[in-house]
Amino acid sequence: MKRTFTLALVLVWMAASGFMTVLAQDMKQADKYFNNFEFSLALEAYKKVLEKEEPSLLVVQRIADSYRILNNSKEAEFWYAQVIAFPNSDPANIYLYAESAKRNANYDKAKQLFLEYSEKVPAQREVALRMAASCDTAKKWMKNPKPYVVEKMEVVNSDGADFGPVRTKDGLLFSSDRLEVGNKQQTARNNWTGNGFIQMYFAQKLSDTTTTLANPVPLPPSINTEYHNGPADYLEKDQTLYFTRTHVVKKRATGSVNSDPTSWFKGSDNGTHTNRHGIYMSKFNGSKWENVEAFKYNNTDEFSIGHPAISPDGKILYFVSDMPGGYGETDIYYSERMADGSWGKPTNAGPVINTSGRESFANLGEDGKLYFSSDGHMGMGGLDLFRANGTHKAWTQVENLQYPLNTSQDDFGIEVDSTGKKGLLSSSRLSDNGFDDILTFEEYKGPCLLVGRVVEKFAQSGTVKTIITSVPDAMLQLYVDGSEEAIETKSDAEGNFSFPVMAGTKYQIKGSKKGYLSQTVAFTPECLNDADTVEVELTFIRSTPNKPVVIENIYYDLDKFDIKPAAALELDRLVQMMKDNPRIRIELSSHTDSRQTHKYNQVLSQLRAQSAVDYLVSKGVDRNRLVARGYGETRLINKCRDGISCAEELHQENRRTEFKILR
């Protein structure tokens, strides 16, 4: 009996040992897939492990990470929720959970998670709080969308990732990792995604008089090697294709950790090889692509260069790189063509464009602007589309294109026409699995209704309160910007008026009435449908001489006389008023609070008044029409005199600027 019991224990031990060996082998294979960046295979392997054992932090973490890397944010959000339930989970997973929730437009949840992360990781508090704030911004943008119609371009899209559209006079170039080409199935699969390798495709226009495209076909093997090729740009005047080609190279001991610049993914260092980009050029001779030439500064042993964008004159080449010395993970650079036709040394586009994150998919719009995608600038989630304002070498500001051109998902690879209001873009917004589609967009030009009101504002005597009253029977003239023809109406007894307007059109409303100064308001309505209304308010000012009028929001910091940004906006309105009423001459007066001496305050107020006058002169107002007068603390509008303790807000009320008509 004892021998039988012992034999049973041995059999149980052997079975358990065999099971553990199989489980260890399954785990080893799953880890191998993951470390080799074969994430589509790794996912299935880790799920197989999960079927055989209780969930562990490592397995659940790897599943969550794989879904994140594959841009499947819906699954990633679910699995990161499981990861953070483990007591020994790294707090960094809270941040990754928040990012996934944000990509799914779950902004309230994402904000809560970013705030939680900021408390648990104080060193990253600033970044986390900025990301939390971006959730509120994204919600605001979605609530107030820009007037664009965005639609899927059915002809060129597939079940895979389709992106990087480039229009030519003959059709459309783009990149795709589709498995099916016509009725044929690609045999080679990319185990990163489970799809094919990225290839360049061309969809021919069916005729010169239509934009309808034929079914896309792949470019020949001279362009499409067996590995990744694309995205690209095309120089029409030289019939030259500038395209990205990916190379598998052996890692050096101190090499880059950028494992696949196809998605600029920063991954594990466990593999022996990595993928890096280079830029190549090829001319089309009318029947075939020839003379494939490498960009002079390719260095795939050390770093990547890709995502080319060529200027229409062929003299400037923008591109993306993770070369050493940049501001972040990937930066935008440019090279200029030299007199001998060669390319000059790459130059970083600078900190206005580049951040500590990923800048990618550069494009030069036909409107002369630089477009690109980034996850480093404030965005809605994933990669957002941005426009750089300014000129080459002098970009002054970066602008988020907002919703609906941007969404919580990846939005990139934009192409814009000469108006800046129409074009193509790439986005994963329509996909459950993170794959991209090519979309068309066009500014909505539909009609809507402008609803306005004419009012008069003046200070209640002896207080700082403002009284608002309606101005009836005012003449309102609506002009399309640049036109001299106007539509006219008059305000009713309540000061109300209305005009039919068109979205995206620049207008001016000119208002006038006897006894008041003329007023002009410029605006561009953003109507998403014909039921929308646009609200405009015109504030009339009486033309009575020597009656002070407070210019709202012209406040100064303590002991300062420089013009603040908010003040500049108000002074710009005063500039317009002076242009609308060319015969008036005004006094600009400045006032201080009661702190400091009377003499000091007199000097300071004069400097403040003079700075306001100088600002108006800089905007084109004749100095002879302006008088600067400082009154110091002689005309306080509240109780805050010498010896009386007041809050800073009350003191600031006294630090005001007024104007009055002198004639």
Side-chain angles (χ1 to χ4, degrees):
M1 186 73 176
K2 183 176 180 180
R3 290 180 61 191
T4 303
F5 181 69
T6 301
L7 179 60
L9 286 176
V10 170
L11 291 174
V12 169
W13 177 82
M14 289 177 66
S17 177
F19 176 79
M20 293 302 293
T21 300
V22 172
L23 186 61
Q25 290 174 345
D26 289 345
M27 188 66 182
K28 183 178 180 180
Q29 183 61 61
D31 288 341
K32 182 179 179 181
Y33 286 143
F34 188 88
N35 292 329
N36 287 336
F37 314 120
E38 298 175 309
F39 299 108
S40 62
L41 299 179
L43 266 175
E44 299 307 315
Y46 283 123
K47 288 180 179 180
K48 184 177 178 182
V49 171
L50 205 57
E51 292 173 357
K52 297 179 180 179
E53 69 168 7
E54 289 295 314
S56 66
L57 174 58
L58 176 60
V59 173
V60 176
Q61 173 90 61
R62 288 290 175 83
I63 292 174
D65 289 344
S66 295
Y67 276 124
R68 171 177 57 85
I69 295 162
L70 290 170
N71 287 331
N72 190 331
S73 57
K74 291 183 179 179
E75 291 290 346
E77 182 179 351
F78 171 82
W79 285 98
Y80 278 119
Q82 317 311 310
V83 171
I84 67 169
F86 286 89
N88 55 337
S89 171
D90 191 316
N93 288 306
I94 300 174
Y95 190 89
L96 297 175
Y97 182 17
E99 280 193 320
S100 299
K102 186 181 179 186
R103 288 176 65 102
N104 294 329
N106 293 334
Y107 291 119
D108 291 335
K109 180 195 287 187
K111 180 180 179 180
Q112 175 187 347
L113 290 165
F114 283 128
L115 293 175
E116 181 181 345
Y117 179 74
S118 74
E119 295 297 325
K120 293 196 173 185
V121 187
Q124 295 296 314
R125 180 177 176 81
E126 182 178 348
V127 173
L129 292 178
R130 183 165 60 89
M131 292 295 287
S134 74
C135 294
D136 291 332
T137 301
K139 288 173 62 178
K140 178 182 177 181
W141 287 342
M142 290 188 71
K143 187 176 180 181
N144 301 283
K146 295 293 185 181
Y148 286 97
V149 177
V150 183
E151 297 178 333
K152 187 174 181 179
M153 197 174 189
E154 297 293 345
V155 176
V156 299
N157 288 301
S158 68
D159 292 334
D162 305 287
F163 61 96
V166 179
R167 284 197 184 276
T168 75
K169 66 180 182 63
D170 296 320
L172 183 74
L173 282 159
F174 66 98
S175 302
S176 177
D177 68 356
R178 62 188 62 195
L179 281 169
E180 290 188 4
V181 182
N183 296 322
K184 296 181 179 180
Q185 186 86 4
Q186 287 196 47
T187 56
R189 282 180 180 262
N190 175 17
N191 289 329
W192 177 300
T193 62
N195 278 350
F197 293 104
I198 294 171
Q199 304 281 276
M200 292 293 301
Y201 289 81
F202 183 69
Q204 181 86 29
K205 281 203 307 185
L206 292 179
S207 73
D208 293 337
T209 59
T210 181
T211 58
T212 306
L213 301 173
N215 290 328
V217 295
L219 296 190
S222 57
I223 303 296
N224 283 330
T225 61
E226 293 182 352
Y227 207 49
H228 299 301
N229 300 274
D233 199 4
Y234 183 69
L235 182 59
E236 194 78 60
K237 80 179 191 71
D238 289 345
Q239 293 187 291
T240 301
L241 183 70
Y242 293 76
F243 65 100
T244 310
R245 179 173 284 172
T246 304
H247 298 267
V248 180
V249 299
K250 190 172 183 178
K251 283 186 177 179
R252 297 174 181 239
T254 58
S256 168
V257 297
N258 182 20
S259 60
D260 189 346
T262 301
S263 63
W264 303 103
F265 164 68
K266 185 176 181 180
S268 168
D269 240 349
N270 295 337
T272 60
H273 290 72
T274 189
N275 295 347
R276 294 207 180 96
H277 276 342
I279 291 176
Y280 292 80
M281 291 82 83
S282 177
K283 285 184 176 288
F284 188 66
N285 68 4
S287 60
K288 64 179 181 179
W289 297 97
E290 58 184 9
N291 301 327
V292 175
E293 177 186 353
F295 181 49
K296 178 179 178 180
Y297 298 100
N298 288 349
N299 188 357
T300 52
D301 286 339
E302 302 291 342
F303 51 79
S304 288
I305 288 178
H307 300 188
I310 187 72
S311 62
D313 60 7
K315 293 182 178 180
I316 306 168
L317 179 66
Y318 279 88
F319 55 86
V320 178
S321 179
D322 60 352
M323 67 176 64
Y327 292 91
E329 293 181 43
T330 57
D331 281 13
I332 293 176
Y333 292 79
Y334 65 86
S335 287
E336 296 180 283
R337 198 184 292 273
M338 311 303 286
D340 63 0
S342 65
W343 289 105
K345 186 177 179 181
T347 301
N348 192 289
V352 171
I353 303 294
N354 294 310
T355 68
S356 60
R358 296 179 301 163
E359 278 66 54
S360 55
F361 293 97
N363 181 271
L364 288 164
E366 291 180 16
D367 60 350
K369 305 291 187 181
L370 174 65
Y371 292 82
F372 63 97
S373 289
S374 172
D375 64 5
H377 292 282
M378 179 77 77
M380 298 185 68
L383 290 172
D384 270 31
L385 290 161
F386 293 86
R387 174 172 53 217
N389 296 313
T391 57
H392 175 58
K393 294 186 179 180
W395 303 113
T396 57
Q397 182 187 24
V398 165
E399 175 187 2
N400 188 298
L401 298 188
Q402 300 186 23
Y403 185 80
L405 297 187
N406 282 319
T407 64
S408 62
Q409 294 289 322
D410 282 335
D411 302 287
F412 60 100
I414 190 171
E415 188 193 64
V416 178
D417 72 359
S418 59
T419 68
K421 305 297 184 182
K422 182 180 179 181
L424 304 171
L425 61 85
S426 314
S427 178
S428 60
R429 70 185 69 184
L430 302 179
S431 172
D432 290 332
N433 53 20
F435 295 152
D436 309 305
D437 295 299
I438 295 174
L439 312 177
T440 64
F441 70 89
E442 185 171 3
E443 187 179 57
Y444 178 77
K445 291 288 187 180
C448 62
L449 185 67
L450 178 141
V451 176
R453 187 181 179 212
V454 184
V455 299
E456 179 182 3
K457 298 180 181 180
F458 54 93
Q460 183 175 338
S461 180
T463 73
V464 296
K465 295 181 179 179
T466 299
I467 296 176
I468 302 175
T469 61
S470 301
V471 179
D473 204 34
M475 172 61 72
L476 291 313
Q477 296 174 302
L478 178 72
Y479 293 86
V480 174
D481 191 39
S483 172
E484 295 182 359
E485 296 183 4
I487 302 174
E488 295 183 351
T489 189
K490 286 193 174 183
S491 59
D492 64 17
E494 301 299 322
N496 298 319
F497 65 93
S498 64
F499 287 112
V501 292
M502 294 290 291
T505 302
K506 294 182 179 180
Y507 292 99
Q508 284 188 338
I509 296 180
K510 295 184 178 181
S512 59
K513 184 179 180 180
K514 187 176 181 180
Y516 294 88
L517 297 176
S518 297
Q519 299 289 321
T520 299
V521 173
F523 67 98
T524 303
E526 295 182 351
C527 317
L528 292 182
N529 56 68
D530 56 12
D532 279 359
T533 58
V534 180
E535 296 182 359
V536 172
E537 183 178 85
L538 271 74
T539 302
F540 273 27
I541 299 168
R542 290 189 182 271
S543 56
T544 308
N546 297 312
K547 181 181 179 181
V549 178
V550 175
I551 308 173
E552 296 182 5
N553 300 319
I554 306 294
Y555 295 115
Y556 299 89
D557 292 330
L558 182 63
D559 295 332
K560 299 293 179 67
F561 58 87
D562 53 303
I563 301 298
K564 300 166 74 172
L569 293 175
E570 297 299 327
L571 288 175
D572 287 340
R573 294 187 178 96
L574 189 57
V575 169
Q576 185 62 51
M577 187 201 75
M578 295 296 289
K579 292 179 179 178
D580 291 335
N581 302 272
R583 295 184 179 182
I584 67 170
R585 184 168 177 263
I586 66 171
E587 174 192 279
L588 267 170
S589 60
S590 183
H591 306 262
T592 68
D593 59 39
S594 62
R595 291 174 288 186
Q596 296 288 352
T597 66
H598 288 283
K599 183 177 180 180
Y600 176 88
N601 285 334
Q602 184 63 43
V603 172
L604 180 61
S605 66
Q606 185 64 39
L607 289 171
R608 287 175 174 172
Q610 192 61 53
S611 69
V613 165
D614 290 343
Y615 182 87
L616 266 62
V617 171
S618 74
K619 296 295 183 176
V621 179
D622 187 343
R623 191 179 292 274
N624 292 327
R625 300 176 62 198
L626 305 169
V627 174
R629 183 68 56 83
Y631 287 96
E633 57 180 285
T634 62
R635 297 186 179 184
L636 302 175
I637 60 174
N638 56 33
K639 65 178 182 178
C640 301
R641 291 171 171 78
D642 290 339
I644 298 178
S645 178
C646 286
E648 176 59 28
E649 292 80 6
L650 292 175
H651 281 303
Q652 191 175 68
E653 288 176 354
N654 288 316
R655 299 195 299 270
R656 70 196 186 279
T657 295
E658 298 173 339
F659 79 89
K660 65 181 179 182
I661 299 170
L662 297 177
R663 66 164 189 261

